[in-house]
mmCIF file with all atom_site columns, all heavy atoms in Angstrom:
data_model
loop_
_atom_site.group_PDB
_atom_site.id
_atom_site.type_symbol
_atom_site.label_atom_id
_atom_site.label_alt_id
_atom_site.label_comp_id
_atom_site.label_asym_id
_atom_site.label_entity_id
_atom_site.label_seq_id
_atom_site.pdbx_PDB_ins_code
_atom_site.Cartn_x
_atom_site.Cartn_y
_atom_site.Cartn_z
_atom_site.occupancy
_atom_site.B_iso_or_equiv
_atom_site.pdbx_formal_charge
_atom_site.auth_seq_id
_atom_site.auth_comp_id
_atom_site.auth_asym_id
_atom_site.auth_atom_id
_atom_site.pdbx_PDB_model_num
ATOM 1  N N   . THR A 1 44 ? 39.388 58.374 4.419  1.00 0.00 ? 126 THR A N   1
ATOM 2  C CA  . THR A 1 44 ? 38.699 59.228 3.458  1.00 0.00 ? 126 THR A CA  1
ATOM 3  C C   . THR A 1 44 ? 39.386 60.584 3.325  1.00 0.00 ? 126 THR A C   1
ATOM 4  O O   . THR A 1 44 ? 39.616 61.076 2.219  1.00 0.00 ? 126 THR A O   1
ATOM 5  C CB  . THR A 1 44 ? 37.228 59.431 3.893  1.00 0.00 ? 126 THR A CB  1
ATOM 6  O OG1 . THR A 1 44 ? 36.612 58.145 4.008  1.00 0.00 ? 126 THR A OG1 1
ATOM 7  C CG2 . THR A 1 44 ? 36.460 60.274 2.901  1.00 0.00 ? 126 THR A CG2 1
ATOM 8  N N   . SER A 1 45 ? 39.717 61.189 4.454  1.00 0.00 ? 127 SER A N   1
ATOM 9  C CA  . SER A 1 45 ? 40.291 62.539 4.460  1.00 0.00 ? 127 SER A CA  1
ATOM 10 C C   . SER A 1 45 ? 41.803 62.554 4.262  1.00 0.00 ? 127 SER A C   1
ATOM 11 O O   . SER A 1 45 ? 42.369 63.600 3.995  1.00 0.00 ? 127 SER A O   1
ATOM 12 C CB  . SER A 1 45 ? 39.974 63.227 5.785  1.00 0.00 ? 127 SER A CB  1
ATOM 13 O OG  . SER A 1 45 ? 40.683 62.592 6.839  1.00 0.00 ? 127 SER A OG  1
ATOM 14 N N   . LYS A 1 46 ? 42.431 61.374 4.438  1.00 0.00 ? 128 LYS A N   1
ATOM 15 C CA  . LYS A 1 46 ? 43.901 61.275 4.402  1.00 0.00 ? 128 LYS A CA  1
ATOM 16 C C   . LYS A 1 46 ? 44.514 62.186 5.468  1.00 0.00 ? 128 LYS A C   1
ATOM 17 O O   . LYS A 1 46 ? 45.561 62.785 5.280  1.00 0.00 ? 128 LYS A O   1
ATOM 18 C CB  . LYS A 1 46 ? 44.475 61.632 3.019  1.00 0.00 ? 128 LYS A CB  1
ATOM 19 C CG  . LYS A 1 46 ? 43.825 60.918 1.861  1.00 0.00 ? 128 LYS A CG  1
ATOM 20 C CD  . LYS A 1 46 ? 44.170 59.459 1.833  1.00 0.00 ? 128 LYS A CD  1
ATOM 21 C CE  . LYS A 1 46 ? 43.662 58.799 0.565  1.00 0.00 ? 128 LYS A CE  1
ATOM 22 N NZ  . LYS A 1 46 ? 42.771 57.699 0.790  1.00 0.00 ? 128 LYS A NZ  1
ATOM 23 N N   . ASP A 1 47 ? 43.828 62.271 6.617  1.00 0.00 ? 129 ASP A N   1
ATOM 24 C CA  . ASP A 1 47 ? 44.229 63.150 7.718  1.00 0.00 ? 129 ASP A CA  1
ATOM 25 C C   . ASP A 1 47 ? 44.210 62.334 9.014  1.00 0.00 ? 129 ASP A C   1
ATOM 26 O O   . ASP A 1 47 ? 43.153 61.858 9.430  1.00 0.00 ? 129 ASP A O   1
ATOM 27 C CB  . ASP A 1 47 ? 43.251 64.325 7.795  1.00 0.00 ? 129 ASP A CB  1
ATOM 28 C CG  . ASP A 1 47 ? 43.554 65.304 8.917  1.00 0.00 ? 129 ASP A CG  1
ATOM 29 O OD1 . ASP A 1 47 ? 44.343 64.988 9.834  1.00 0.00 ? 129 ASP A OD1 1
ATOM 30 O OD2 . ASP A 1 47 ? 42.959 66.400 8.896  1.00 0.00 ? 129 ASP A OD2 1
ATOM 31 N N   . ALA A 1 48 ? 45.352 62.194 9.637  1.00 0.00 ? 130 ALA A N   1
ATOM 32 C CA  . ALA A 1 48 ? 45.479 61.377 10.852 1.00 0.00 ? 130 ALA A CA  1
ATOM 33 C C   . ALA A 1 48 ? 44.666 61.911 12.023 1.00 0.00 ? 130 ALA A C   1
ATOM 34 O O   . ALA A 1 48 ? 44.419 61.181 12.977 1.00 0.00 ? 130 ALA A O   1
ATOM 35 C CB  . ALA A 1 48 ? 46.957 61.290 11.256 1.00 0.00 ? 130 ALA A CB  1
ATOM 36 N N   . THR A 1 49 ? 44.240 63.152 11.974 1.00 0.00 ? 131 THR A N   1
ATOM 37 C CA  . THR A 1 49 ? 43.505 63.727 13.106 1.00 0.00 ? 131 THR A CA  1
ATOM 38 C C   . THR A 1 49 ? 41.992 63.593 12.978 1.00 0.00 ? 131 THR A C   1
ATOM 39 O O   . THR A 1 49 ? 41.272 64.023 13.880 1.00 0.00 ? 131 THR A O   1
ATOM 40 C CB  . THR A 1 49 ? 43.850 65.220 13.307 1.00 0.00 ? 131 THR A CB  1
ATOM 41 O OG1 . THR A 1 49 ? 43.340 65.972 12.213 1.00 0.00 ? 131 THR A OG1 1
ATOM 42 C CG2 . THR A 1 49 ? 45.338 65.421 13.459 1.00 0.00 ? 131 THR A CG2 1
ATOM 43 N N   . THR A 1 50 ? 41.499 63.014 11.908 1.00 0.00 ? 132 THR A N   1
ATOM 44 C CA  . THR A 1 50 ? 40.046 62.959 11.742 1.00 0.00 ? 132 THR A CA  1
ATOM 45 C C   . THR A 1 50 ? 39.442 61.697 12.374 1.00 0.00 ? 132 THR A C   1
ATOM 46 O O   . THR A 1 50 ? 38.744 60.932 11.732 1.00 0.00 ? 132 THR A O   1
ATOM 47 C CB  . THR A 1 50 ? 39.636 63.112 10.263 1.00 0.00 ? 132 THR A CB  1
ATOM 48 O OG1 . THR A 1 50 ? 40.356 62.166 9.470  1.00 0.00 ? 132 THR A OG1 1
ATOM 49 C CG2 . THR A 1 50 ? 39.886 64.521 9.753  1.00 0.00 ? 132 THR A CG2 1
ATOM 50 N N   . HIS A 1 51 ? 39.710 61.556 13.661 1.00 0.00 ? 133 HIS A N   1
ATOM 51 C CA  . HIS A 1 51 ? 39.070 60.514 14.459 1.00 0.00 ? 133 HIS A CA  1
ATOM 52 C C   . HIS A 1 51 ? 37.669 61.009 14.840 1.00 0.00 ? 133 HIS A C   1
ATOM 53 O O   . HIS A 1 51 ? 37.403 62.222 14.862 1.00 0.00 ? 133 HIS A O   1
ATOM 54 C CB  . HIS A 1 51 ? 39.857 60.254 15.740 1.00 0.00 ? 133 HIS A CB  1
ATOM 55 C CG  . HIS A 1 51 ? 41.154 59.550 15.519 1.00 0.00 ? 133 HIS A CG  1
ATOM 56 N ND1 . HIS A 1 51 ? 41.824 58.917 16.544 1.00 0.00 ? 133 HIS A ND1 1
ATOM 57 C CD2 . HIS A 1 51 ? 41.902 59.354 14.402 1.00 0.00 ? 133 HIS A CD2 1
ATOM 58 C CE1 . HIS A 1 51 ? 42.930 58.368 16.072 1.00 0.00 ? 133 HIS A CE1 1
ATOM 59 N NE2 . HIS A 1 51 ? 43.005 58.625 14.782 1.00 0.00 ? 133 HIS A NE2 1
ATOM 60 N N   . ALA A 1 52 ? 36.795 60.086 15.186 1.00 0.00 ? 134 ALA A N   1
ATOM 61 C CA  . ALA A 1 52 ? 35.418 60.421 15.557 1.00 0.00 ? 134 ALA A CA  1
ATOM 62 C C   . ALA A 1 52 ? 35.370 61.490 16.651 1.00 0.00 ? 134 ALA A C   1
ATOM 63 O O   . ALA A 1 52 ? 34.607 62.456 16.558 1.00 0.00 ? 134 ALA A O   1
ATOM 64 C CB  . ALA A 1 52 ? 34.692 59.158 16.024 1.00 0.00 ? 134 ALA A CB  1
ATOM 65 N N   . GLU A 1 53 ? 36.208 61.316 17.676 1.00 0.00 ? 135 GLU A N   1
ATOM 66 C CA  . GLU A 1 53 ? 36.196 62.252 18.806 1.00 0.00 ? 135 GLU A CA  1
ATOM 67 C C   . GLU A 1 53 ? 36.632 63.655 18.387 1.00 0.00 ? 135 GLU A C   1
ATOM 68 O O   . GLU A 1 53 ? 36.044 64.646 18.819 1.00 0.00 ? 135 GLU A O   1
ATOM 69 C CB  . GLU A 1 53 ? 37.143 61.753 19.916 1.00 0.00 ? 135 GLU A CB  1
ATOM 70 C CG  . GLU A 1 53 ? 36.804 60.385 20.450 1.00 0.00 ? 135 GLU A CG  1
ATOM 71 C CD  . GLU A 1 53 ? 37.578 59.254 19.773 1.00 0.00 ? 135 GLU A CD  1
ATOM 72 O OE1 . GLU A 1 53 ? 37.836 59.339 18.548 1.00 0.00 ? 135 GLU A OE1 1
ATOM 73 O OE2 . GLU A 1 53 ? 37.909 58.273 20.463 1.00 0.00 ? 135 GLU A OE2 1
ATOM 74 N N   . MET A 1 54 ? 37.656 63.728 17.561 1.00 0.00 ? 136 MET A N   1
ATOM 75 C CA  . MET A 1 54 ? 38.173 65.035 17.117 1.00 0.00 ? 136 MET A CA  1
ATOM 76 C C   . MET A 1 54 ? 37.125 65.773 16.273 1.00 0.00 ? 136 MET A C   1
ATOM 77 O O   . MET A 1 54 ? 36.940 66.981 16.421 1.00 0.00 ? 136 MET A O   1
ATOM 78 C CB  . MET A 1 54 ? 39.467 64.850 16.323 1.00 0.00 ? 136 MET A CB  1
ATOM 79 C CG  . MET A 1 54 ? 40.581 64.174 17.108 1.00 0.00 ? 136 MET A CG  1
ATOM 80 S SD  . MET A 1 54 ? 41.176 65.137 18.497 1.00 0.00 ? 136 MET A SD  1
ATOM 81 C CE  . MET A 1 54 ? 42.173 66.330 17.634 1.00 0.00 ? 136 MET A CE  1
ATOM 82 N N   . ILE A 1 55 ? 36.457 65.037 15.406 1.00 0.00 ? 137 ILE A N   1
ATOM 83 C CA  . ILE A 1 55 ? 35.411 65.629 14.571 1.00 0.00 ? 137 ILE A CA  1
ATOM 84 C C   . ILE A 1 55 ? 34.274 66.148 15.453 1.00 0.00 ? 137 ILE A C   1
ATOM 85 O O   . ILE A 1 55 ? 33.797 67.270 15.266 1.00 0.00 ? 137 ILE A O   1
ATOM 86 C CB  . ILE A 1 55 ? 34.915 64.609 13.528 1.00 0.00 ? 137 ILE A CB  1
ATOM 87 C CG1 . ILE A 1 55 ? 36.032 64.334 12.505 1.00 0.00 ? 137 ILE A CG1 1
ATOM 88 C CG2 . ILE A 1 55 ? 33.632 65.077 12.850 1.00 0.00 ? 137 ILE A CG2 1
ATOM 89 C CD1 . ILE A 1 55 ? 35.807 63.130 11.621 1.00 0.00 ? 137 ILE A CD1 1
#
Side-chain angles (χ1 to χ4, degrees):
T126 303
S127 68
K128 310 290 188 238
D129 179 345
T131 68
T132 52
H133 288 198
E135 301 95 324
M136 300 295 283
I137 292 166

